[in-house]
């Protein structure tokens, strides 16, 4: 072989070695990118699952708040009626206690009687 052929062969071997190194580097980079992509996809799925759980929890909380709101509305709506009923019960207990102690309430009309007749 001539000197030119030797140089051409050396250039060819260098080019093949460089190409093999580049292929190895490209393969490694591809593997690393694949792993990174898998990590990102796993993180995305975890976030989506967390969001779904948060949404479900939020909906349950809103339902609970609505039930509390309805209960409060009922308590406010019937507060006066319930207050009058309690007052009547207290008056009845006081009078019953007085009767048991000997007082005579047989001729006294009471609010409790009016309330029980529904004309409160």
């Amino acid at each position: 072989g001539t000197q030119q052929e030797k140089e051409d062969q050396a250039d060819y071997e260098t080019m093949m070695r460089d190409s093999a190194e580049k292929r190895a580097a490209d393969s490694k980079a591809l593997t690393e990118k694949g792993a990174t992509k898998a990590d990102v996809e796993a993180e995305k799925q975890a976030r989506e699952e967390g969001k779904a759980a948060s949404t479900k929890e939020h909906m349950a909380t809103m339902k609970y708040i609505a039930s509390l709101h309805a209960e409060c509305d009922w308590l406010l709506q019937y507060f006066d009626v319930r207050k009058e009923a309690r007052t009547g019960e207290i008056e009845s207990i006081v009078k019953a206690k007085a009767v048991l102690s000997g007082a005579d309430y047989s001729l006294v009309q009471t609010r409790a009687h009016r309330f029980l007749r529904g004309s409160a």
Side-chain angles (χ1 to χ4, degrees):
T2 66
Q3 184 62 32
Q4 184 61 40
E5 288 175 346
K6 287 181 183 174
E7 288 176 10
D8 290 344
Q9 182 66 31
D11 289 345
Y12 174 78
E13 289 173 5
T14 300
M15 183 186 75
M16 293 305 290
R17 193 170 42 252
D18 290 349
S19 294
E21 288 173 5
K22 182 171 181 348
R23 278 194 307 278
D26 289 348
S27 178
K28 182 179 177 189
L30 186 62
T31 300
E32 290 171 356
K33 286 179 181 179
T36 300
K37 181 181 177 191
D39 290 345
V40 168
E41 287 175 352
E43 185 177 327
K44 178 185 173 198
Q45 183 167 352
R47 286 177 193 238
E48 287 172 353
E49 290 169 359
K51 181 183 177 196
S54 293
T55 300
K56 188 174 182 181
E57 183 179 346
H58 176 69
M59 289 174 68
T61 301
M62 294 306 291
K63 185 176 180 181
Y64 178 66
I65 289 171
S67 74
L68 290 178
H69 198 293
E71 187 176 338
C72 284
D73 287 347
W74 186 89
L75 290 171
L76 289 171
Q77 182 178 357
Y78 293 103
F79 176 78
D80 290 334
V81 173
R82 292 169 52 246
K83 181 179 175 186
E84 189 169 337
R86 292 303 137 308
T87 301
E89 289 171 1
I90 291 168
E91 288 174 2
S92 295
I93 290 170
V94 168
K95 289 176 183 158
K97 206 171 151 187
V99 167
L100 291 174
S101 300
D104 183 9
Y105 281 91
S106 60
L107 300 176
V108 178
Q109 185 179 11
T110 64
R111 275 181 55 191
H113 291 296
R114 284 195 315 272
F115 176 73
L116 292 174
R117 281 191 224 116
S119 59

